[in-house]
Amino acid sequence: MDVPPPSAPSPDPSASPAPSSPPSPSTSPGGPASPPPPDRVARIQADWRRERPDLDVAPQGVIGRLHRLADRLTGELTPVYDRHGLGEGEFDVLCALRRAGAPYERAPGELAAHTMVTTGAMTKRVDRLERAGLVTRRRSEGDQRGRVVALTESGRALIDRAFTDHMHNERRLLDLLTPAEAETLETLLTGWLARLERPPS
């Protein structure tokens, strides 16, 4: 038979209450948050610091995380394209045509420049979109040897839906940061990119 534990003695009303222990900083609602555990990049850096203590591996902390972040973001963005029957490349082409404004057309070379791919890769993308009825090709009025790629009505309707979903998805991802963090990050990335893309003097 189980024996019930002895009941706790009644508190002495004349005794002063025992002081409460201060909450632990890691559990206090207003206290500092515990540092996150080392991520994969930090572990890689630790390995290299052990194996090559003569090298400064601090840049890995930024570059390595940017690479991992880019991979993760791609994995979060592409499902939206998939839902609309598009690959990332086709989505880029339709966006480049849509943001051109009416009549929503560009030359293939211009499209390649806007999407940063070769003209050969652009031809394959346009071929797929044309077969799907989302774009058309026609001869350029100013140059009969040139071609112009234009959105069809179906293509415009599709990219409007897809781009709306894409922006909602990007907002979801960016909302993982505070507004101040997002603004600071945009400023830093803008300045860094400008320096990398600055033509050599």
Side-chain angles (χ1 to χ4, degrees), residues 4-201:
S7 58
S10 301
D12 181 357
S14 63
S16 300
S20 59
S21 300
S24 169
S26 61
T27 59
S28 172
S34 300
D39 61 9
R40 182 177 178 183
V41 175
R43 293 193 295 271
I44 291 173
Q45 286 179 287
D47 290 344
W48 278 120
R49 286 190 179 105
R50 182 192 66 241
E51 295 300 314
R52 291 295 307 273
D54 57 310
L55 291 178
D56 174 19
V57 297
Q60 282 187 320
V62 176
I63 306 296
R65 287 185 177 90
L66 282 175
H67 273 295
R68 287 184 58 77
L69 186 61
D71 288 343
R72 289 299 302 270
L73 289 176
T74 298
E76 295 286 342
L77 296 175
T78 51
V80 172
Y81 312 146
D82 293 341
R83 287 205 305 268
H84 293 276
L86 298 170
E88 187 175 18
E90 286 116 13
F91 177 84
D92 285 347
V93 173
L94 295 179
C95 281
L97 292 171
R98 178 64 178 88
R99 68 176 184 264
Y104 312 111
E105 59 185 34
R106 295 184 191 270
E110 189 181 6
L111 277 176
H114 276 272
T115 56
M116 295 181 290
V117 297
T118 64
T119 53
M122 179 54 59
T123 298
K124 293 178 180 178
R125 293 179 181 182
V126 173
D127 285 345
R128 291 193 293 269
L129 292 169
E130 189 175 31
R131 287 194 297 269
L134 301 175
V135 304
T136 60
R137 283 187 179 102
R138 65 171 176 78
R139 292 189 181 277
S140 171
E141 296 177 359
D143 181 2
Q144 289 300 306
R145 294 175 300 175
R147 296 278 180 172
V148 171
V149 180
L151 278 178
T152 64
E153 287 297 322
S154 297
R156 180 182 172 186
L158 176 65
I159 194 56
D160 278 351
R161 294 193 302 272
F163 186 70
T164 298
D165 290 349
H166 175 65
M167 284 293 94
H168 291 161
N169 193 32
E170 286 200 341
R171 170 51 58 194
R172 173 185 66 85
L173 295 167
L174 197 61
D175 280 349
L176 296 173
L177 302 176
T178 67
E181 287 172 336
E183 183 178 357
T184 299
L185 180 60
E186 182 178 6
T187 300
L188 291 172
L189 292 177
T190 299
W192 191 6
L193 186 61
R195 295 172 195 175
L196 282 173
E197 293 184 339
R198 183 181 302 158
S201 56

